[in-house]
Each structure stands twice: as C-alpha cells, then as structure tokens.
Amino acid sequence: MDTALQLALGYIETFAGNGKARSTGDGKRAVKAGIPLPHHAALDKHERWFYFAESGSDRIRRVDLQEGTLHNFAGIGETCYSGDEGPCGEAGLYLPLDLAFDSQNHLYICDSGSNRIRKVDRDTGVITTIVGTGQHGFNGDGPALEVNLTWPSAMAFDKDDVLYIADTQAHKIRCYDPRTGLVTTIAGAWSAEDDAREQPLVPATSWSSRATPSALISATITAGSCRSARTASTCRCIWMTASPRWRPASTTSSALPWTGRVTSRSSTRAATASARSIGRQA
C-alpha cells in the first residue's frame, strides 16, 4: 500500500468500489471492484481488515488495508438463510445491513432479511445464529434463539460485549447479553397496528415517515484520524482523513453515475430494493 502520500485536511477519496452495481473483483484491487449497495462497515481489532456489508449481493466483504485488495468473506451471493454451523463463505445471507466486532474480534452480522443476528468465529470462520427465530413480529423478551426480530438494521457493542440491536420494524431497541443468553427490550413500543400487520413494512415511505431505531444506533468506525463511511447510492467505499496522514491504496478511477437500478436475481430483490434505502436515510 502507498502510505507515503500526505493528504490535505478534510481530503476525501474513493478506496473501494468502481461505482457499478454488480459484485465483482474478488481478490483484485479494491478500487476496481464492483460493490453493490454497501451498508455499514467495521474495522477488525487489529486494524488489518476493513469489513462492510454488501447488501446488493448478500455478502460480507473485506479490504486488506495492507495490500489494498478486496475479498469475499461471508455469503454465497444468493438471497437466502443457510449454512449455520459451517464455513461463513458457504453460508447464505439475506440482506445483511450491519456488522460489528466484539472485544474478542468475533464478527457479528445483522442479517436483516432473515430477522437474525449471526456470528462468525474469529478462529474457525464458522457462522452461527445467536439471536432470532427467523420469524417477524414482537413476541416478547427471553432466550435469544426464541425471540423474534423484525427487520433489524443496526447494532453496537458496549465495553462488556453486550450487544444493542435496532429492531427497526418492531420499533424497539433490544439488548442481547451473551453472559445470560437473554434478549431484553430497553426502548420502544409495539402497537396494535403492528400486531395486525401480516408482514414487515417494505416501502421507503414507511422508513421516512418516522424516526427509526437504526437512527439511534449509528457508529463511525475510527482508526486514529481516519474514518470510514458507507455510500450505498454510489456503490463505493470512501476514506476521509481528519488530518494529514495516509491513504489505504491508490484510487485513480473514473466516477461512474448511479443508475438507480438494482440488478435482480429474483422478485424478492426488487421488492426489498426500497428497504435498502434505510442505509441512506438512517
């Protein structure tokens, strides 16, 4: 990586993504790769890898910050829930929207479309479900694998590795304590109108009509003076510096306009495209 260039104060540049809405470039230079609809991002505890949720391909991908290359990490690129107790690279994800690391460097994935939180073990790479039944609709608090989530979209850890979850379409903030295995509600209410609904809200207008819990849990991933940001509308990852420092890799590339279209593998993808806008509105 080119670490010699000193950037001017407030300088911003693209370091991953070519602006195209197609998942490409596994193992290639990050700036040349296609990254459709990137959402939240996180650095691992060693600050070697930059991970992001690529919701447009139902994958978690990562950038090697030493080499400047991009690699698939979790997900097979199909919209489904599968692969628990196996390698994360062979598991199906369903609209991943967020990810976070605990203090032990285990990766947690907010698998929004499957209404679950999933965990990838740092040593084995095995993926498991830790919260959620897969069903939507609030059914109370209790053991994590017996509790419903409804389109969860964001999460964050505290210093004790307690996980806070934006249970977005349940209009609640939930708390998962790995020491007890229990999920509790710490904010929000479920209404009779929500009980009558047969499925989660999808249209973008439903997100913009109210403040969503994902707005309450929004973290900026910081490494020294460098910050990462998601830009789902342009299919790029950008790198901003608050002070002169370094950039992850050479990023000479032409800017390609966003077409506003999502390439679909099924009608499910088209139906959920508007819901993905939560990453731009939250």
Side-chain angles (χ1 to χ4, degrees):
M1 287 176 56
D2 178 6
T3 61
L5 181 63
Q6 296 295 307
L7 302 180
L9 182 66
Y11 190 87
I12 184 171
E13 69 178 290
T14 299
F15 83 97
N18 60 15
K20 295 182 179 180
R22 183 172 175 229
S23 186
T24 60
D26 183 35
K28 307 297 184 181
R29 288 182 58 217
V31 74
K32 297 295 186 180
I35 52 173
L37 298 175
H39 271 264
H40 290 76
L43 288 169
D44 75 338
K45 296 302 180 182
H46 305 299
E47 298 183 4
R48 166 70 187 270
W49 296 94
F50 172 86
Y51 291 74
F52 61 92
E54 188 177 274
S55 64
S57 72
D58 298 299
R59 287 186 174 102
I60 302 300
R61 306 182 80 185
R62 62 182 184 173
V63 177
D64 185 330
L65 295 180
Q66 292 184 8
E67 302 297 332
T69 53
L70 186 146
H71 306 268
N72 295 340
F73 179 72
I76 56 176
E78 297 293 333
T79 305
C80 63
Y81 166 77
S82 67
D84 264 5
E85 308 298 338
C88 64
E90 300 176 7
L93 301 178
Y94 191 152
L95 191 63
L97 290 182
D98 198 10
L99 66 170
F101 286 93
D102 65 13
S103 64
Q104 303 302 310
N105 216 30
H106 300 301
L107 177 64
Y108 290 71
I109 301 169
C110 188
D111 203 20
S112 185
S114 74
N115 299 309
R116 294 175 170 96
I117 305 299
R118 305 176 78 179
K119 173 185 176 182
V120 178
D121 186 273
R122 68 174 185 184
D123 298 318
T124 65
V126 169
I127 189 170
T128 54
T129 296
I130 60 162
V131 181
T133 64
Q135 301 299 312
H136 67 265
F138 182 68
N139 67 339
D141 295 336
L145 293 178
E146 298 177 11
V147 166
N148 291 354
L149 298 177
T150 307
W151 214 273
S153 62
M155 55 189 180
F157 282 101
D158 70 9
K159 62 181 179 61
D160 298 316
D161 281 342
V162 174
L163 181 63
Y164 294 84
I165 303 164
D167 197 4
T168 301
Q169 295 226 17
H171 317 303
K172 295 178 181 290
I173 302 298
R174 317 292 292 277
C175 174
Y176 166 67
D177 190 334
R179 295 166 296 189
T180 64
L182 298 177
V183 170
T184 55
T185 300
I186 62 170
W190 183 264
S191 68
E193 176 187 355
D194 297 310
D195 278 331
R197 188 179 298 116
E198 293 183 357
Q199 61 182 5
L201 297 170
V202 171
T205 53
S206 66
W207 299 105
S208 59
S209 64
R210 69 186 77 183
T212 63
S214 63
L216 301 179
I217 298 181
S218 182
T220 300
I221 310 303
T222 305
S225 62
C226 293
R227 297 172 183 242
S228 63
R230 68 201 191 293
T231 55
S233 61
T234 58
C235 300
R236 300 174 187 268
C237 287
I238 58 176
W239 195 270
M240 298 172 286
T241 58
S243 63
R245 196 181 179 192
W246 55 277
R247 64 179 180 178
S250 175
T251 57
T252 302
S253 64
S254 59
L256 298 174
W258 170 244
T259 64
R261 298 191 299 271
V262 178
T263 55
S264 303
R265 291 187 299 273
S266 66
S267 59
T268 300
R269 175 71 69 211
T272 59
S274 59
R276 300 184 193 282
S277 65
I278 187 172
R280 299 189 288 272
Q281 298 176 20

